[in-house]
Amino acid sequence: FYDGRRLDSYLRGVRGWLESLPTEDRMAASFVYAGADGGRVADALNATPLPCTVRIMGFLSIQDFAQLADQSFANSYLALSVTFHHKLLELLARGRPVICYPSERTEGKELASRSGTLFLSCGTSSELQDAIATAWSIRNRDNRKAELPAWRWRDFAQELGRFFQGFPQRDSE
């Protein structure tokens, strides 16, 4: 599922951010992966070890995933090259900062802009490090944008319907 180069580049960016932290902050940080590609992520972490606590979990129930996401100072995912990743919707609903690497596609950015959740789409490793630093700096605050309504799980179906109705229909020949 994950492009190996994207994953390696992502982990190098995370490692760069961790290495910039004071020791006590680095010791407080942790990297947690939850999903079906745990073996692939573990292999990539062997090549690019992170100087923090690392946990690799399998696929989680929606309730367990939501709890994990709610406890995180930020949640991130690797963008897909063909469309926005469904993980974007699940993470936006949690209200914690969401970091995408590499840059999210236009559809995903548009959905994120409507969500009320801080969304940081990163095109480079340097931008990724800056995004993580931004999320870390506000980790103890309510991160929702005050001027936008906060989405919750139940809001996504309705909002997705409105979003996709705005796209022109393609003829299927």
Side-chain angles (χ1 to χ4, degrees):
F1 179 72
Y2 291 124
D3 174 295
R5 290 183 309 267
R6 286 182 183 195
L7 179 57
D8 292 342
S9 178
Y10 170 81
L11 291 173
R12 284 192 304 274
V14 172
R15 184 176 62 194
W17 171 75
L18 285 163
E19 290 172 345
S20 75
L21 291 176
T23 302
E24 63 274 8
D25 283 349
R26 189 174 327 125
M27 299 307 288
S30 62
F31 177 88
V32 180
Y33 172 82
D37 288 318
R40 196 166 192 181
V41 172
D43 289 345
L45 283 164
N46 285 332
T48 308
L50 299 178
C52 69
T53 300
V54 173
R55 287 181 20 213
I56 298 177
M57 307 169 81
F59 198 77
L60 300 177
S61 70
I62 290 176
Q63 294 82 8
D64 290 343
F65 178 78
Q67 183 178 14
L68 178 64
D70 288 348
Q71 294 170 351
S72 301
F73 77 89
N75 296 289
S76 64
Y77 67 98
L78 295 182
L80 299 175
S81 59
V82 293
T83 187
F84 72 89
H85 196 310
H86 68 88
K87 191 61 58 187
L88 169 65
L89 304 177
E90 297 170 9
L91 295 175
L92 289 173
R94 304 319 311 160
R96 304 300 297 160
V98 176
I99 300 169
C100 176
Y101 181 81
S103 290
E104 183 56 85
R105 297 173 57 85
T106 303
E107 303 96 337
K109 289 178 183 177
E110 175 63 24
L111 282 168
S113 73
R114 298 178 183 195
S115 73
T117 297
L118 178 61
F119 178 70
L120 303 160
S121 182
C122 310
T124 66
S125 182
S126 177
E127 288 175 1
L128 174 62
Q129 291 176 38
D130 290 345
I132 300 169
T134 295
W136 181 259
S137 73
I138 59 172
R139 66 190 175 277
N140 296 321
R141 297 186 202 156
D142 179 1
N143 296 309
R144 288 200 175 271
K145 298 175 189 173
E147 71 276 8
L148 294 174
W151 282 6
R152 296 288 179 231
W153 290 104
R154 67 184 174 274
D155 300 323
F156 275 102
Q158 186 176 25
E159 182 60 29
L160 275 175
R162 283 194 296 265
F163 177 76
F164 285 118
Q165 285 174 354
F167 280 92
Q169 296 293 320
R170 291 186 354 201
D171 292 333
S172 57
E173 298 178 338

